[in-house]
Amino acid sequence: DTEVTQTPKHLVMGMTNKKSLKCEQHMGHRAMYWYKQKAKKPPELMFVYSYEKLSINESVPSRFSPECPNSSLLNLHLHALQPEDSALYLCASSQVGADEAFFGQGTRLTVV
Amino acid sequence: GQQLNQSPQSMFIQEGEDVSMNCTSSSIFNTWLWYKQDPGEGPVLLIALYKAGELTSNGRLTAQFGITRKDSFLNISASIPSDVGIYFCAGYDTGTASKLTFGTGTRLQVTL
């Protein structure tokens, strides 16, 4: 099973809303990632968790707050977003270290 | 940070033709991954490369890890309509484990 599951698939939120994106994997991977992808651009790394600890934060604004409650789950909490934050948000997982990373289908986020 | 440049940026080919694309980096990478992404979906892993000079195949796809460790190549033989999509290279650099960086992408369109 090489599946990474993301929910919801689509999300529309207002600039004053608080919402969360969820990601789950059952491959025993101990590295999990959040990426942001704008149209016609490559995915941009936001956060990396290794062994449930935040190891990389690519200078992401604090209105994005990641959380890794256990080795299978990764959340991204959203608060006070801007319209320019509208994008496809991708979750991925891999073994820790330079290994194959598997991606979920993404959450299409629209901020209005 | 690292930049991964892919070429060509886009290509139109006829069904049955072979395709070649490449990815170059400004720094040394210790793992190269190739992904295909369909519109609105997450990237799907095609091939993983771990050693300089390594040549790996997956069906009609063949990829190579460049000797200098700063480049990688992907070939698709006898293209079919379902090969349409965006192909991304991605790599882990030698300095930061688990930091997976994506290339700029090659958009492939196949005509019958």
Side-chain angles (χ1 to χ4, degrees):
Chain A
D1 180 10
T2 58
E3 191 169 299
V4 177
T5 303
Q6 289 188 243
T7 55
K9 191 165 173 60
H10 301 276
L11 178 63
V12 178
M13 62 184 290
M15 290 187 281
T16 58
N17 291 160
K18 287 184 181 180
K19 296 287 185 183
S20 297
L21 309 185
K22 297 185 182 301
C23 176
E24 187 169 9
Q25 57 89 13
H26 295 288
M27 293 178 275
H29 291 165
R30 301 300 295 277
M32 296 187 76
Y33 313 73
W34 281 114
Y35 284 82
K36 173 183 177 180
Q37 187 177 26
K38 301 286 269 185
K40 300 186 178 179
K41 296 290 187 182
E44 293 180 12
L45 184 64
M46 300 174 71
F47 302 104
V48 180
Y49 273 82
S50 297
Y51 300 110
E52 296 85 67
K53 297 262 189 297
L54 183 65
S55 59
I56 296 176
N57 176 342
E58 292 286 271
S59 302
V60 178
S62 60
R63 57 186 184 269
F64 296 91
S65 175
E67 178 197 20
C68 190
N70 60 54
S71 60
S72 300
L73 295 174
L74 184 67
N75 299 321
L76 185 63
H77 303 298
L78 313 172
H79 173 56
L81 295 193
Q82 304 296 311
E84 59 265 29
D85 295 322
S86 299
L88 182 67
Y89 287 84
L90 295 162
C91 173
S93 72
S94 73
Q95 300 292 355
V96 174
D99 202 358
E100 300 173 359
F102 296 92
F103 282 78
Q105 286 197 310
T107 294
R108 172 69 61 189
L109 175 67
T110 303
V111 181
V112 297
Chain B
Q2 310 86 6
Q3 288 195 22
L4 297 183
N5 295 307
Q6 283 184 246
S7 65
Q9 188 174 19
S10 64
M11 53 196 317
F12 291 80
I13 62 167
Q14 287 202 324
E15 184 177 6
E17 288 184 352
D18 296 343
V19 174
S20 292
M21 61 189 78
N22 66 57
C23 184
T24 58
S25 167
S26 56
S27 56
I28 290 173
F29 277 63
N30 57 13
T31 299
W32 286 97
L33 306 176
W34 283 92
Y35 290 88
K36 177 175 182 277
Q37 187 175 28
D38 293 326
E41 302 290 328
V44 174
L45 182 63
L46 300 173
I47 291 180
L49 301 158
Y50 297 100
K51 291 169 61 174
E54 179 182 356
L55 188 70
T56 297
S57 293
N58 178 7
R60 294 180 294 107
L61 278 60
T62 301
Q64 183 162 26
F65 192 141
I67 290 291
T68 65
R69 298 171 68 193
K70 291 186 176 183
D71 55 10
S72 180
F73 309 89
L74 177 70
N75 294 316
I76 305 173
S77 62
S79 59
I80 59 177
S82 62
D83 290 334
V84 166
I86 303 178
Y87 291 80
F88 288 104
C89 63
Y92 293 99
D93 71 31
T94 55
T96 310
S98 295
K99 182 168 181 174
L100 183 62
T101 301
F102 276 76
T104 49
T106 294
R107 183 179 297 272
L108 177 64
Q109 302 203 46
V110 179
T111 57
L112 299 175

